[in-house]
Amino acid sequence: MHYYESSIITTKDGLHCQVYGNEHPKGRILVKPKYIPTDKISSDALPYRFISGRKMNRLNLWIEQDKLKKYFDDFSREYPHYIFKSDVHEKSPLFFAVPEEYIERAYSPKIGLREIMSMPTNEMDDHLKIVFDFVSFLLKSSLELEDFGITYSTLMGHYSSYKSDINIVVYGKKKFWKLMAFLEKTSSKDLRWKTYEEWEDFYRKRNRHMIHRKEIYIENMYRKKSEGFFKDTLFVIFAVENEDEAWFRWGDERYKQLGSAKFQAAVKDNKNSIVRPGCYEIEDSKFIDGHHSCKNLPISKVVFYSRDYCMLAYPDEKIEASGVVEEVTPKSGEKYYRLVIGYFDSYLNGRRDNEYIKIVGD
């Protein structure tokens, strides 16, 4: 079975996990733990939810670092089987992965949406009616129902009407870009985009004030057509790679960390910036600051694990990126260098506020 990005997995010991990426090591599924039962570990610094008859913590990577680190230490002690040590990294970053034998159930966004859309509308509650209407609107793009999925709380059935987001999945990168083009030029009385003030609120919550000039950050986020409101309900649209279009294959490359550094470069290609992990192909990289071993390296890719950076930059725009520099050795082909932003362990130390991608002027 193939496990697509943004699918939901429940485990035999009660965790709800979001599939994190399209490529996985053999026998394990890379995930982000999303809801974690509080019977073994808990933290008042994290939000609480009541799901599937259990009190849960909802993982938030932006809480105070000392409290997050304590929670991860507790998690590693009680759930060591979900901590994955990568053998393709010389020094493994922090990964979470569910061994296949621990999977209780995998929820398919595609099947879930198909089930919703087949329901009689008079049997739907207010949230499902808005989902139905929104998907019907998106189908005007000439994409088909099989190209879409629904995820997060709607898929799992623990949403709250007029409070929960609508999280739509689009299968296939070309189809996602096609949908974005449709949303750029279409209009509807039920559709609106996030305002300046709403993006400013997001800006503050994610500590972006430490990195970005507010006006530039909001201007760049505002041009995204993957987030907005339909009938006053927030929606987010995610791209998911099909199996035959993954931009990398797990195990086809080996990675060696060289140190943290900051570079400026021009974006050469952003077609893979819509998935996770995402990638910008860059050219004319210029070392700005960081570990001395990185000073003369030609960086050809900027890779990121946070959705904040999806579709942030476009070809020919100049970016500044700060992260971990890795030497990449493919099984076939030439060695190259990349900059990586947002491994899970970066949230546990000073890298959380020092790793970023931002657009810069000439």
Side-chain angles (χ1 to χ4, degrees), residues 136-187:
S136 299
F137 169 72
L138 296 179
L139 289 172
K140 295 178 181 178
S141 66
S142 79
L143 271 65
E144 300 179 356
L145 184 58
E146 280 296 302
D147 299 324
F148 292 99
I150 192 82
T151 191
Y152 298 122
S153 60
T154 307
L155 177 63
M156 301 299 291
H158 54 72
Y159 57 84
S160 177
S161 292
Y162 297 109
K163 291 184 180 180
S164 294
D165 305 347
I166 300 173
N167 294 279
I168 295 292
V169 172
V170 179
Y171 292 89
K173 289 183 285 194
K174 289 182 179 178
K175 291 179 178 179
F176 179 87
W177 283 113
K178 181 179 179 179
L179 181 63
M180 293 301 102
F182 166 77
L183 291 173
E184 286 239 1
K185 60 186 180 183
T186 195
S187 62

Side-chain angles (χ1 to χ4, degrees), residues 295-306:
K295 189 171 184 179
N296 297 313
L297 299 180
I299 307 297
S300 59
K301 291 180 181 179
V302 173
V303 176
F304 60 89
Y305 281 83
S306 170

Side-chain angles (χ1 to χ4, degrees), residues 111-316:
I111 294 173
L113 182 60
R114 191 167 64 216
E115 292 288 301
I116 291 173
M117 298 302 286
S118 70
M119 288 178 61
T121 54
N122 63 347
E123 297 290 333
M124 295 180 179
D125 58 29
D126 291 334
H127 179 77
L128 293 184
K129 285 178 181 177
I130 295 173
V131 171
F132 182 91
D133 290 343
F134 183 49
V135 173
S136 299
F137 169 72
L138 296 179
L139 289 172
K140 295 178 181 178
S141 66
S142 79
L143 271 65
E144 300 179 356
L145 184 58
E146 280 296 302
D147 299 324
F148 292 99
I150 192 82
T151 191
Y152 298 122
S153 60
T154 307
L155 177 63
M156 301 299 291
H158 54 72
Y159 57 84
S160 177
S161 292
Y162 297 109
K163 291 184 180 180
S164 294
D165 305 347
I166 300 173
N167 294 279
I168 295 292
V169 172
V170 179
Y171 292 89
K173 289 183 285 194
K174 289 182 179 178
K175 291 179 178 179
F176 179 87
W177 283 113
K178 181 179 179 179
L179 181 63
M180 293 301 102
F182 166 77
L183 291 173
E184 286 239 1
K185 60 186 180 183
T186 195
S187 62
S188 166
K189 63 179 178 61
D190 296 320
L191 177 70
R192 75 170 179 87
W193 304 111
K194 279 187 174 181
T195 64
Y196 185 100
E197 290 75 19
E198 286 161 343
W199 277 121
E200 183 177 6
D201 184 57
F202 182 85
Y203 169 84
R204 289 196 305 269
K205 287 180 179 178
R206 295 295 184 96
N207 292 356
R208 294 311 178 209
H209 63 278
M210 302 178 67
I211 300 165
H212 303 268
R213 280 183 53 198
K214 181 173 70 174
E215 293 76 14
I216 294 175
Y217 177 83
I218 293 172
E219 179 182 345
N220 292 327
M221 298 298 280
Y222 186 79
R223 65 182 176 178
K224 290 186 179 185
K225 300 305 179 188
S226 58
E227 297 188 35
F229 292 84
F230 189 83
K231 294 187 174 181
D232 295 323
T233 298
L234 177 66
F235 68 81
V236 184
I237 305 174
F238 305 104
V240 175
E241 292 174 315
N242 287 322
E243 290 182 74
D244 61 350
E245 61 179 7
W247 67 267
F248 81 102
R249 299 291 180 188
W250 187 274
D252 281 356
E253 298 176 332
R254 299 192 67 82
Y255 310 103
K256 177 181 179 181
Q257 285 194 16
L258 301 179
S260 295
K262 183 188 303 180
F263 284 82
Q264 286 189 1
V267 175
K268 183 179 179 181
D269 194 299
N270 74 338
K271 67 178 181 295
N272 293 314
S273 73
I274 56 176
V275 295
R276 184 169 53 191
C279 175
Y280 291 101
E281 294 184 26
I282 61 172
E283 57 189 358
D284 302 325
S285 66
K286 179 183 177 183
F287 178 84
I288 303 298
D289 191 22
H291 196 272
H292 63 88
S293 65
C294 307
K295 189 171 184 179
N296 297 313
L297 299 180
I299 307 297
S300 59
K301 291 180 181 179
V302 173
V303 176
F304 60 89
Y305 281 83
S306 170
R307 284 201 179 275
D308 290 6
Y309 303 117
C310 289
M311 290 189 299
L312 181 69
Y314 286 76
D316 299 324

Side-chain angles (χ1 to χ4, degrees), residues 37-54:
T38 57
D39 55 341
K40 292 183 178 180
I41 60 170
S42 65
S43 172
D44 290 340
L46 295 170
Y48 288 102
R49 298 290 188 271
F50 183 73
I51 299 172
S52 301
R54 304 184 76 171

Side-chain angles (χ1 to χ4, degrees), residues 11-40:
T11 70
K12 292 178 180 178
D13 40 11
L15 278 70
H16 290 209
C17 302
Q18 171 200 351
V19 177
Y20 211 77
N22 198 57
E23 284 287 306
H24 307 283
K26 186 176 180 181
R28 291 175 177 263
I29 312 303
L30 295 173
V31 299
K32 174 185 176 181
K34 193 167 178 66
Y35 296 105
I36 303 158
T38 57
D39 55 341
K40 292 183 178 180

